[in-house]
Amino acid sequence: KDFVVFKDFNLVVEDYPNIGQFVVIMGKSGCGKSTILRYWTGLQKPTAGDIFVGGKAIAETQSMPMVFQQYSSLEWFSVLQNVALPLTLKGVSKKEANERAMEMIKVVGLEGHESKYARIPQLSGGQLQRVAIARSLVANPNMLLLDEPYGALDGFTRAKMQFFLLDLFQKSELASLNPTVVLVTHDPREAVLLGNDIYIMDADPGRIIKHIKPDLPDHRD
């Protein structure tokens, strides 16, 4: 018997130009939260159905940045090389790529660490996730996907990183970016702290069972 992860699954995330937003997808383990993000990025293809981004079917050439729970930096590259990587892959000159990467390294609070290798123990787990976020933002995407990026961190560091993320998208340096950020989590406090829209999923098959819009100001504590 085939195992059905999703059946008649529908989710529409609206983009609010020049505003940016946090969309949170919550649900218990195994309901398909991470799989939805993998469909979204094109890392995985659904057996049926379609994914549209900006009204167009997702293309294989399309790149959408995603930060994973596991550390995803290239350990043999420095922080600067890791953050510059999306630009160098697009053919941007090394000088410009490094300059833009350095600007983003400053934005995420890693100035002074740019020459270190992107691995433990040279960097902490929280710093490695900052590298991943900087790398994801350096090419100015209009969407960023986060798959439980703080799941491997201890409670104190996790809380610190949640506020870092909140502060990051209110920085003037990112004012022109305003991406739609989609975060997968199973932590209700994280969802309410960060989310403008919260979608609750259930399993067997995976589906959205509730949509919550927290009645809270953008600056939260």
Side-chain angles (χ1 to χ4, degrees), residues 98-155:
N98 284 347
E99 285 173 359
R100 286 170 60 182
M102 198 61 225
E103 286 172 18
M104 192 55 68
I105 285 168
K106 290 176 184 174
V107 169
V108 300
L110 286 178
E111 190 175 8
H113 298 280
E114 61 273 8
S115 299
K116 293 180 181 177
Y117 284 116
R119 63 189 182 205
I120 291 173
Q122 280 82 359
L123 299 178
S124 68
Q127 287 172 325
L128 282 174
Q129 291 303 59
R130 290 187 189 217
V131 174
I133 290 168
R135 186 180 65 230
S136 297
L137 292 174
V138 75
N140 299 336
N142 56 13
M143 184 173 276
L144 171 63
L145 306 179
L146 306 173
D147 188 8
E148 300 202 47
Y150 307 142
L153 304 178
D154 64 82

Side-chain angles (χ1 to χ4, degrees), residues 28-29 76 82 84 100 107 110 116 120 126-127 140 169 175 200 210 212:
K28 59 188 177 185
S29 295
W76 57 94
N82 267 284
R100 286 170 60 182
V107 169
L110 286 178
K116 293 180 181 177
I120 291 173
Q127 287 172 325
N140 299 336
F169 288 97
I200 313 289
K210 198 162 190 178
I212 301 165

